[in-house]
Amino acid sequence: MEREVPESPLAVGTHAAAKRRRITCVIGTRPEAIKMAPVIRRLQRERWCECTVLCTAQHRELLDQVLQLFRIVPDADFGVMRPNQTLAGLTSRLIEHFDQTLSRVRPDAVLAQGDTTTSMAAALCSFYHQVPFGHVEAGLRTGNLYAPFPEEMNRVVTSRIARWHFAPTQEARGNLLEEGIGAENVHVTGNTVIDALLQVALQCNESPATPGLRLVLVTAHRRENFGPPFETVCRAILHLAERRRDIQFLYPVHPNPNVKKVAHEILGSHPRIQLCEPLDYLAFVAAMKQAHFILTDSGGVQEEAPALAKPVLVLRDETERPEAVAAGVVRLVGTDFDRIVAEATRLLDDSVHYASMAHGASPYGDGRAAERITAVLKNDLWRAEERDEAAATSSEEIAVPPVLLVAQAAAETVPLSASPQA
């Protein structure tokens, strides 16, 4: 039975100083919480703003694990998750809740991350209430509106609304510019998941590996793979386990019944395939560090694993994260049985090929993305008022020369020193 969390209103007018800017950060799923946690923690340390956290609980238990790890306490919780929820039903509940909240509380900015229904609905309702919206991890595209579904459409809608586009890479920036987004609104920051990963990786220890066995970590839950494609993935995993006595699989199974039921039916009886409940993020990072390679359809894992020097085989035909493919650390295998088996076998048997995919090159940042996002917001939200006040100062007063304000703002903006190549 799903745990319901009653909605609690965001605090109104609690900021200590009149000039402090109110920024609302929205999270709804586990990946969003992981990627927004560094931004939230950074903003909460700033004296120029008041950061509140709005949780939609699009995913419930998976989200709560991350909130506890990063010690984030939401100021409001919509509790919208329902068993076997539809996209239309979820979207309608989110829009109703966002509309009610933004009618009561008007922050100076709303931030959300990625491509979920939560982020799209937050952007849409921010537009309705004319509240500036910032999109973290902006500009990812496959060019196919139905893959990934519905995430690609969510990204496109969000980009038409956002005022600030925090692009993780130069390629993502290029996608936004091609769609007509003004260059002055696009900021290459790196991906905040690397901030979170590097923080958590320092806290976790790898469990001792089973002697003689190499670990293959699996995550698979994409909506577009439900049905026969996912069944094929499971059969390929089973075939590898039966054929290779030198590997074991660890598969934290997503609770969606379209995934859980099939995974247990096909894989549940093999002794070297361990199906378990979703791991908390600390344990999952430890599993990634221990794995020989990773089979996944997750976008976040495509970003995280290369930073840990782990090869990734992506169970999708298209990816909105082509930088890692170009770097040779991620390979697309789709849901084709033969391709999955062949590429997995090559990673197990060809040490030169394995080394070429496990060299630890991450095109997604250096762990300072949240710092750069905060600097942009401070310059735009807080420094803007200082510039307005300086312009309005009477001629008898000594105004701060605009050139000094520009220089000070530039000094606070942290460049991405090693931007990935497009």
Side-chain angles (χ1 to χ4, degrees):
M1 183 176 180
E2 300 294 339
R3 179 168 66 89
E4 295 292 340
V5 179
E7 177 188 352
S8 59
L10 290 169
V12 181
T14 59
H15 50 300
K19 291 185 179 180
R20 292 184 73 189
R21 292 291 175 256
R22 286 183 292 171
I23 300 176
T24 295
C25 293
V26 176
I27 52 178
T29 66
R30 167 178 159 145
E32 287 170 282
I34 292 169
K35 294 182 177 184
M36 283 298 290
V39 178
I40 293 168
R41 296 289 296 273
R42 179 79 187 193
L43 288 172
Q44 288 177 338
R45 296 199 304 267
E46 297 290 315
R47 299 183 64 181
W48 63 270
C49 69
E50 175 189 350
C51 176
T52 55
V53 180
L54 193 160
C55 170
T56 70
Q58 180 178 330
H59 294 165
R60 180 77 268 168
E61 288 81 3
L62 302 184
L63 173 64
D64 290 344
Q65 296 172 354
V66 178
L67 296 178
Q68 293 169 11
L69 174 63
F70 288 99
R71 297 188 297 278
I72 294 173
V73 180
D75 297 275
D77 193 321
F78 291 170
V80 298
M81 183 176 178
R82 302 290 184 271
N84 292 315
Q85 59 191 1
T86 65
L87 287 172
L90 172 63
T91 303
S92 65
R93 290 193 298 277
L94 286 168
I95 288 177
E96 182 178 4
H97 280 290
F98 279 127
D99 182 61
Q100 292 173 356
T101 299
L102 293 178
S103 294
R104 293 194 308 269
V105 182
R106 186 178 177 85
D108 296 292
V110 173
L111 298 183
Q113 185 277 334
D115 53 19
T116 66
T117 304
T118 284
S119 61
M120 184 273 292
L124 187 60
C125 284
S126 295
F127 168 74
Y128 289 160
H129 289 268
Q130 299 184 40
V131 175
F133 181 83
H135 188 201
V136 178
E137 197 184 79
L140 277 63
R141 298 289 188 272
T142 65
N144 181 348
L145 204 58
Y146 292 94
F149 177 84
E151 287 83 1
E152 181 77 358
M153 185 278 293
N154 289 341
R155 295 189 190 103
V156 172
V157 170
T158 301
S159 293
R160 301 314 305 170
I161 294 170
R163 171 173 169 179
W164 301 281
H165 304 259
F166 299 114
T169 65
Q170 291 289 354
E171 182 151 348
R173 177 180 183 272
N175 292 336
L176 293 165
L177 298 184
E178 288 180 2
E179 294 176 0
I181 305 298
E184 68 278 7
N185 297 323
V186 182
H187 310 274
V188 179
T189 62
N191 199 306
T192 57
V193 76
I194 304 300
D195 299 31
L197 176 69
L198 296 179
Q199 294 170 23
V200 172
L202 295 174
Q203 305 174 41
C204 63
N205 297 313
E206 300 176 42
S207 301
T210 304
L213 294 178
R214 289 176 286 182
L215 179 68
V216 179
L217 179 63
V218 179
T219 73
H221 66 277
R222 303 297 297 195
R223 184 182 296 269
E224 64 265 28
N225 285 344
F226 289 173
F230 180 62
E231 293 171 6
T232 300
V233 169
C234 290
R235 286 197 296 270
I237 293 170
L238 180 62
H239 176 81
L240 285 164
E242 291 175 339
R243 178 180 175 186
R244 305 288 305 228
R245 297 184 177 276
D246 59 340
I247 59 174
Q248 62 179 353
F249 288 88
L250 174 62
Y251 182 3
V253 181
H254 195 281
N256 188 301
N258 294 290
V259 174
K260 190 172 185 177
K261 183 175 184 292
V262 175
H264 280 272
E265 285 179 352
I266 297 176
L267 304 174
S269 61
H270 196 283
R272 282 183 287 104
I273 300 176
Q274 180 184 354
L275 304 180
C276 65
E277 295 297 314
L279 302 175
D280 63 51
Y281 190 56
L282 186 65
F284 185 74
V285 172
M288 284 196 292
K289 291 175 67 176
Q290 185 181 355
H292 187 65
F293 67 88
I294 301 172
L295 276 170
T296 187
D297 58 14
S298 164
V301 174
Q302 293 177 57
E303 298 157 346
E304 294 162 323
L308 298 174
K310 301 299 178 180
V312 180
L313 300 180
V314 179
L315 302 167
R316 295 165 59 184
D317 294 316
E318 299 172 293
T319 181
E320 63 280 25
R321 295 167 173 85
E323 297 88 352
V325 176
V329 294
V330 164
R331 187 175 292 267
L332 300 178
V333 296
T335 57
D336 181 85
F337 180 95
D338 292 332
R339 286 168 64 193
I340 295 170
V341 171
E343 291 296 340
T345 301
R346 189 180 180 194
L347 282 172
L348 292 166
D349 293 341
D350 187 338
S351 60
V352 174
H353 175 64
Y354 181 88
S356 73
M357 292 187 67
H359 53 75
S362 173
Y364 297 113
D366 57 6
R368 299 177 65 192
E371 181 181 349
R372 297 184 183 96
I373 290 169
T374 300
V376 170
L377 293 172
K378 182 178 182 180
N379 182 60
D380 210 359
L381 290 173
W382 193 62
R383 293 296 185 197
E385 180 171 306
E386 286 194 345
R387 289 191 289 269
D388 292 343
E389 288 181 352
T393 302
S394 65
S395 58
E396 290 81 10
E397 297 178 345
I398 300 175
V400 178
V403 67
L404 293 183
L405 287 172
V406 173
Q408 185 175 5
E412 291 173 351
T413 302
V414 184
L416 185 56
S417 56
S419 297
Q421 297 298 314

